[in-house]
Amino acid sequence: MKMERNRLVISSWVCYDFANSPFTTLVLTFVYATYFTQAIASDPITGTVLWSRAIAFSALIVGVCSPVLGAFSDQLGNRKTFLLLSTVVCAASTAGLYGVFPGQVVAAFILVVIANTAYEFGMVFYNAFLIDIAPRNRLGRISGYGWGLGYLGGVLALVLTLVTLIQPDIPWFGLTKDSGQNIRATNILVAIWLIIFTLPFFIWVPKQKIRLKQKKEVFKNTIAELRMTLSEIITLREVTRFLLARFIYNNGLVTIFVFGGIYAAETFDFSLEEVLIFGIVINIAAGSGAFMMGHLDDFWGGKKTVIFSLVGLLVATFIAVIASSKAWLWVAGMIIGIFSGPNQSASRSLMARLAPPCAEAQFFGFYAFSGKFTSFLGPLALGIITQWTGSQRWGVLSILVMFFVGLLIMLPLNEQEGMRRVERAIN
C-alpha cells in the first residue's frame, strides 16, 4: 500500500513538468516569441531586442527574490501554497496575452515578464519537492522522468496548436487569422493546459507541516536561515563550484530556448508552421534524452552527465552558428534536443544530492539564483550583438562561450565528497 502511495505521489509530481512545459515551448520559444518579433514589435530586429529585455528583466527578478522565497517557504513548511500561487499567476498572465494586439508592445512586455517570473518562482518550489518524494538512489531517473514527460507535454501542445490553430485555413473554435487571433489563442491553450494538468500535484503530493511553533517568528527566522544557508553554501566547495558553473552554462540554455524559434524564422526563413514542426522534433529528442539518461545519471553520477551534455551542446551550437542551410540547422536542433534534456535533469538531481535536509527550498532558491540572476546576460548579450552587427549568427556565437566556460568550471567538481557531506548531516 505504501509503495502504491509513493508511486502515486511521484507520478503526481512528474505531472507538474507535463503541465508547465507548454509555457516554455509555446510562449517563450516557438510560437509567441516568434509572433512578438514579427507582429507585435515594429520590426524583427527591434522585436528580438525587446524580447531579450523582457526575459532578462524577469530573470533578474527571479535571481534576486528566489533565495528569499525559498528560505521563507522552508520556514513555513508549506511550499505547496507558494507553488499554487505561482501557478495561478502564470496561467492568468499567459491567458492575458490573448488580448494583446499587434503594436501593443508595452502590454505584451509586461505580461511576459509577469508570466515568466511566476513560472520561474514556481520551479523553485516544485524542484525542492524532488528531495521529499524520491529516494536518493533514484533522484536521477525520477528527475529524468519529469523532464521527459515535460518535453512530451510540450510536443503534444505543439501538435495540438499546429493541427487546430496554425495549419487549417479556418482555425478551430470559431477563431480567425485576423490580427493573429489564432496565434494569440495559443496562450489560452497554455493557460488551460497548466491549470488542468497541475491538479494531480495539488491533490496527491503532500504538503509539509509547519515547522515553527509560532508563525510570528517566520520573518525573523527567514533572514537568519538565509544568512546561514549562504554561509554554508560558501563553505561547501562542491556546491559553490556547481552553482558557479550553472550560473554560466544555464545562460546558454536559456538563450537557446528563448531565441531558438526566432533564429530559425529570421536567419533561415522558417515559416511559423516550420518553426512549430522544428519545435516538435526538438522536444521529442529532448524528452527521449532526459528519460534515457536519467538512468545513466543514477549509475554514472550527475557531474559526468552534465559534462557529457555540455560537450554535446557545444557541438550543436557550433553547427548552428556555421549552418549554411535549413538541413544543417535541423542537425543542430536535434543535437541540442538530445542533450538539453539530460543537462537540465542532471543539474536538478545533482543539486538534490548536494542539498542538506530541511533546507531544500533554500538551496533550490540559490539554485534558481545561479540559473537566473545573470541569465539575463545571455539574452541581453545576444540582443546587443544582434543589434550591433545586424546578424543573429554573431549573437548565437556568444552561447558557445557560455557552454565552454561552464564546462571548464564543472571539471574539478567532486560529487562524491559533496554527497558524503550530506550523509554526515543526515546521520
Side-chain angles (χ1 to χ4, degrees), residues 126-150:
Y126 168 65
N127 286 337
F129 275 93
L130 175 61
I131 305 172
D132 295 334
I133 61 103
R136 286 195 173 263
N137 64 341
R138 298 183 65 202
L139 285 170
R141 73 190 68 181
I142 292 174
S143 179
Y145 293 160
W147 279 110
L149 193 62

Side-chain angles (χ1 to χ4, degrees), residues 10-301:
I10 290 172
S11 299
S12 301
W13 179 84
V14 166
C15 271
Y16 194 91
D17 262 321
F18 182 83
N20 72 359
S21 289
F23 174 78
T24 59
T25 306
L26 270 67
V27 179
L28 295 187
T29 306
F30 292 110
V31 180
Y32 196 76
T34 304
Y35 179 72
F36 180 89
T37 60
Q38 295 183 338
I40 299 289
S42 58
D43 62 84
I45 295 297
T46 301
T48 299
V49 173
L50 289 173
W51 189 259
S52 72
R53 301 289 195 276
I55 302 304
F57 187 54
S58 60
L60 186 61
I61 295 172
V62 173
V64 171
C65 298
S66 54
V68 178
L69 287 177
F72 187 62
S73 68
D74 274 337
Q75 283 295 309
L76 281 178
N78 194 4
R79 293 193 295 266
K80 199 171 182 180
T81 301
F82 286 88
L83 180 57
L84 177 61
L85 179 61
S86 300
T87 303
V88 170
V89 172
C90 181
S93 50
T94 300
L97 288 170
Y98 171 75
V100 179
F101 290 84
Q104 297 179 333
V105 176
V106 175
F109 187 96
I110 292 173
L111 286 172
V112 167
V113 168
I114 294 173
N116 193 41
T117 301
Y119 167 84
E120 294 293 350
F121 280 155
M123 290 303 293
V124 172
F125 310 119
Y126 168 65
N127 286 337
F129 275 93
L130 175 61
I131 305 172
D132 295 334
I133 61 103
R136 286 195 173 263
N137 64 341
R138 298 183 65 202
L139 285 170
R141 73 190 68 181
I142 292 174
S143 179
Y145 293 160
W147 279 110
L149 193 62
Y151 280 114
L152 175 61
V155 168
L156 293 178
L158 276 172
V159 171
L160 183 60
T161 298
L162 189 64
V163 171
T164 63
L165 299 175
I166 307 300
Q167 281 186 331
D169 293 330
I170 301 177
W172 292 21
F173 314 116
L175 300 172
T176 70
K177 294 186 177 182
D178 295 338
S179 300
Q181 186 186 31
N182 60 322
I183 308 300
R184 293 185 286 110
T186 60
N187 297 296
I188 300 292
L189 185 151
V190 170
I192 293 173
W193 189 289
L194 180 60
I195 294 299
I196 290 175
F197 291 108
T198 54
L199 290 178
F201 181 98
F202 293 112
I203 292 172
W204 286 298
V205 174
K207 64 181 180 180
Q208 298 81 11
K209 296 179 180 179
I210 301 295
R211 289 195 179 111
L212 295 179
K213 294 181 179 179
Q214 295 182 346
K215 292 185 181 180
K216 66 181 181 180
E217 299 176 0
V218 167
F219 294 101
K220 182 177 72 175
N221 281 276
T222 294
I223 302 302
E225 286 292 326
L226 191 60
R227 290 174 179 171
M228 186 181 303
T229 301
L230 180 58
S231 300
E232 188 174 0
I233 287 175
I234 292 173
T235 59
L236 294 175
R237 186 171 53 190
E238 295 77 18
V239 175
T240 302
R241 179 173 291 278
F242 169 60
L243 292 179
L244 179 60
R246 186 173 181 270
F247 204 72
I248 297 170
Y249 71 69
N250 194 67
N251 257 293
L253 276 180
V254 168
T255 309
I256 285 177
F257 296 151
V258 171
F259 290 101
I262 295 172
Y263 185 59
E266 298 304 323
T267 301
F268 293 88
D269 295 322
F270 275 45
S271 66
L272 182 56
E273 184 176 330
E274 287 178 310
V275 168
L276 287 180
I277 295 172
F278 189 58
I280 289 169
V281 173
I282 289 176
N283 274 269
I284 291 173
S288 301
F291 186 85
M292 291 185 296
M293 291 193 191
H295 293 269
L296 180 65
D297 182 353
D298 285 331
F299 175 75
W300 208 8

